Amino acid sequence: MSSLFRNIVKRQPWPSKRALSPSRPLLSRANCPSFLLRSSLSQNVCRRTLGQPTGVRKYSEFRQRNSVGVFTPASAAVFIITGVGLFYYFRYEKAKLLEEREKERESKSYGRPNLGGPFTLINGDEKPFSDKDMLGKWNLVYFGFTNCPDICPMELEKVSAVLDRVVKNQGPIFQPIFISVDPARDTPKRIKRYLEDFHPSYVGLVGSYDDTKAVCKQYRVYFSTPPNADPKGDYLVDHSIFVYLMDPEGKFVEAFGQSVPRDEMIEKIGKSVAEWEAEKGNKT
């Protein structure tokens, strides 16, 4: 061995076993390169090497938390209370719906909504006419006024055609009634003369403003005539357009709107008469 090699060996002693032990970290914060300390991932690498907490959760920590979850006793109590509340709420709504359906079924079965009632007006012969004069016949009640330009004449002509058919099929058991919603201009004689152009069996009725308002309220009819209207004034009256079918006991059966064709009215009237007679026959 040369003298030069011997000198190198003497100057550089070999590391001990302790120095090469794996328990000693290969990196320290002091000797960890600065470029590794700039990123979080590199910091975690250095921290793992240095035996420090890395800030990254382990799988076991997530599993432990998920095993507990958000379903705490308090949240479980809230969940149960909410479920019970929803159960009783839907139970209440179901019972309410069944009750409404039962009322609707009874209403359709008996056909007796709260419509109509006692009244007293003046007919074309200037004699009193009340709801008592409706008893014993099927009545077709229409609200209008003699100065109506188009709607009232069209509806009266339709009712006249329906009357001819139902009287032919059922007999003279019907009474058409025309109630004026323009008491300021319509007089008994004027109404009588007006209705003669449509059907001979029409009964025209008129009354004071208060009497007219009262009977319209009973039949749920809207009309726009002002209470202090000038009899000589030129004004139009807006009103509900329905023909009300009332049975021989003066009770409401059906309401026919403007869009209902005459054939449908004839069919429904015939069906209503047959059902009413069958019901009365079963009671006797």
Side-chain angles (χ1 to χ4, degrees):
M1 185 179 297
S2 62
S3 59
L4 179 59
F5 180 76
R6 286 197 296 269
N7 291 332
I8 292 175
V9 171
K10 291 179 181 180
R11 291 177 183 177
Q12 301 292 335
W14 296 99
S16 64
K17 293 182 179 180
R18 184 179 180 182
L20 297 177
S21 174
S23 62
R24 185 175 182 179
L26 298 179
L27 292 175
S28 64
R29 186 168 184 81
N31 60 14
C32 188
S34 60
F35 71 90
L36 289 177
L37 294 173
R38 292 192 187 102
S39 64
S40 59
L41 179 62
S42 302
Q43 291 176 13
N44 290 333
V45 173
C46 292
R47 287 170 182 170
R48 284 197 185 95
T49 307
L50 297 174
Q52 298 177 357
T54 61
V56 178
R57 294 175 180 172
K58 299 179 182 180
Y59 172 75
S60 59
E61 295 178 2
F62 282 108
R63 186 176 181 181
Q64 183 178 2
R65 181 180 178 183
N66 291 335
S67 63
V68 176
V70 295
F71 204 71
T72 61
S75 61
V78 172
F79 177 79
I80 294 173
I81 294 173
T82 303
V84 173
L86 289 174
F87 171 77
Y88 282 104
Y89 171 77
F90 286 114
R91 185 178 179 181
Y92 168 77
E93 289 295 326
K94 183 178 180 181
K96 186 177 179 181
L97 179 61
L98 291 175
E99 183 180 356
E100 291 179 355
R101 287 182 177 177
E102 182 66 19
K103 289 181 180 180
E104 183 179 358
R105 184 190 66 80
E106 292 179 356
S107 176
K108 289 182 177 179
S109 176
Y110 296 100
R112 298 293 182 264
N114 187 17
L115 199 72
F119 67 89
T120 300
L121 298 172
I122 304 299
N123 64 13
D125 297 326
E126 299 185 357
K127 294 181 180 180
F129 185 98
S130 70
D131 58 296
K132 299 293 190 290
D133 296 304
M134 298 173 61
L135 302 178
K137 289 190 175 182
W138 289 84
N139 295 271
L140 291 168
V141 184
Y142 180 76
F143 292 79
F145 62 109
T146 59
N147 282 344
C148 184
D150 48 12
I151 296 177
C152 290
M154 291 174 59
E155 289 299 294
L156 291 175
E157 288 179 357
K158 183 171 70 174
V159 173
S160 298
V162 170
L163 278 171
D164 291 337
R165 289 278 301 275
V166 296
V167 169
K168 183 179 179 180
N169 298 333
Q170 308 291 337
I173 59 175
F174 298 92
Q175 178 176 238
I177 297 176
F178 178 88
I179 300 178
S180 173
V181 293
D182 188 10
R185 292 181 296 190
D186 287 343
T187 62
K189 291 182 179 180
R190 183 173 184 174
I191 290 180
K192 183 177 181 179
R193 187 167 56 250
Y194 175 75
L195 294 175
E196 287 176 352
D197 295 334
F198 297 99
H199 203 277
S201 61
Y202 260 115
V203 177
L205 302 178
V206 67
S208 64
Y209 181 85
D210 292 336
D211 293 336
T212 303
K213 184 178 179 180
V215 69
C216 287
K217 184 177 181 181
Q218 289 174 338
Y219 282 84
R220 302 177 188 176
V221 172
Y222 163 79
F223 73 104
S224 63
T225 307
N228 55 351
D230 183 6
K232 298 181 180 180
D234 185 14
Y235 58 89
L236 292 178
V237 179
D238 187 18
H239 62 91
S240 304
I241 307 171
F242 286 98
V243 177
Y244 299 94
L245 176 64
M246 313 295 289
D247 69 15
E249 294 179 344
K251 297 179 180 178
F252 170 77
V253 177
E254 187 72 63
F256 303 103
Q258 186 180 6
S259 60
V260 179
R262 64 184 63 181
D263 291 338
E264 183 176 343
M265 289 181 62
I266 294 169
E267 181 182 355
K268 288 187 176 181
I269 291 173
K271 183 179 179 181
S272 299
V273 172
E275 291 178 352
W276 188 84
E277 290 179 349
E279 181 181 349
K280 295 302 176 182
N282 292 333
K283 289 183 179 181
T284 56

